[in-house]
Amino acid sequence: MSERVLLIGVYGMELVECGGALAANVAAGGESHAALMLCGERMQRDVAQAAQILDVQLQFLNFHNGYVGVDEDHKRALVRVIRTVRPSIVVTQDPEHSLADLDPDRRPAMTLILEALSLASRGFAADDGLEPHPVPTVYYMTPSRPNCVINIAPYWNKKVAAMDALESQLEFSGRHWSEAMKPEDLEALVPGYADLGSDVERGRAVHRALDRAVHIYHGIGHHGHFAFAEAYRREGDFHLDTLIA
């Protein structure tokens, strides 16, 4: 059964963090969409390239850093996205993780997302001309307590290529890790790190090592059946006609 999946993301890199699941849904005949709240001009160019690699239909909401709020305008913007895309599945950030995350806007964004998911099926903003739409299934990405994993081994190369496209993120990461970590630790993580010529190259090398480790851990490294896996937490109970193996 094909699904229409909508990622409601706060920052641009979340598109790639969920890239395996989004690409898998497209390969199964579904549609994968992403709506991103906060994404600067340079990052938007990079994320648009990543979305093309992953076959994701992308839109930027152009909210303002530090000013995301649970007010009518922000609610209307998200409700409009949900009613337009009409997803059967929404993927978004984990409420538990976002609570203590020191990235700005994550906490109000989480409340905003949950409010919008609730309001999209009700009479709120009925003047938008769009039919209400209930979202039956929600998955939280990179959760503190996952309860399912997705096989992304067939889409691993796409996910890596999509991450490579985020040059502004790679540049930031390379500069951050060079300042935050000891040179010998970086060398242990990425042999030859000191010889890499730019922050972009350094960020790419560490992200590749980190992403590979994380996704192997959630796959075969966690006594799983998949070589590489993305972890999610499905909201609510699983409703099954019979037990599944």
Side-chain angles (χ1 to χ4, degrees), residues 8 19 21 27-29 81 95 99 114-115 134 142 151 153 178 190 215 218 226:
I8 301 177
V81 169
L99 182 64
L114 294 175
E115 284 291 296
T142 58
N151 179 19
S178 293
V190 178
H215 294 89
H218 287 298
F226 310 135

Side-chain angles (χ1 to χ4, degrees), residues 148-167:
C148 56
V149 297
I150 303 296
N151 179 19
I152 63 165
Y155 315 103
W156 179 248
N157 289 336
K158 275 193 171 188
K159 186 177 170 96
V160 171
M163 189 66 222
D164 285 349
L166 304 186
E167 289 201 356

Side-chain angles (χ1 to χ4, degrees), residues 32-113:
S32 291
H33 298 254
L36 303 178
M37 296 184 188
L38 300 169
C39 204
E41 184 177 349
R42 182 184 174 195
M43 187 64 167
Q44 286 193 10
R45 293 195 298 269
D46 294 347
V47 171
Q49 185 178 347
Q52 190 171 22
I53 292 168
L54 297 168
D55 299 313
V56 174
Q57 300 177 48
L58 174 65
Q59 60 180 298
F60 298 107
L61 299 178
N62 294 315
F63 293 172
H64 299 293
N65 291 80
Y67 294 95
V68 173
V70 191
D71 53 46
E72 182 179 349
D73 288 345
H74 284 92
K75 288 179 183 179
R76 278 181 172 270
L78 275 194
V79 167
R80 190 178 303 116
V81 169
I82 295 166
R83 289 175 178 169
T84 300
V85 175
R86 307 189 76 77
S88 52
I89 294 171
V90 163
V91 179
T92 194
Q93 65 176 4
D94 177 29
E96 295 178 3
H97 181 193
S98 64
L99 182 64
D101 195 314
L102 292 182
D103 274 338
D105 294 299
R106 283 215 180 271
R107 286 159 296 284
M110 190 70 257
T111 303
L112 172 63
I113 291 164

Side-chain angles (χ1 to χ4, degrees), residues 165-195:
L166 304 186
E167 289 201 356
S168 55
Q169 176 65 52
L170 299 178
E171 184 178 43
F172 170 83
S173 295
R175 186 166 57 250
H176 166 73
W177 282 321
S178 293
E179 295 171 353
M181 297 182 67
K182 296 177 181 178
E184 57 268 30
D185 290 344
L186 288 166
E187 191 67 25
L189 186 63
V190 178
Y193 183 88
D195 299 324

Side-chain angles (χ1 to χ4, degrees), residues 10 16 27 41 48 66 68 70 74 87 119 129 137 146 164 217 234:
V10 181
V16 178
E41 184 177 349
V68 173
V70 191
H74 284 92
L119 291 169
T137 306
D164 285 349
Y217 170 78
R234 186 186 190 277

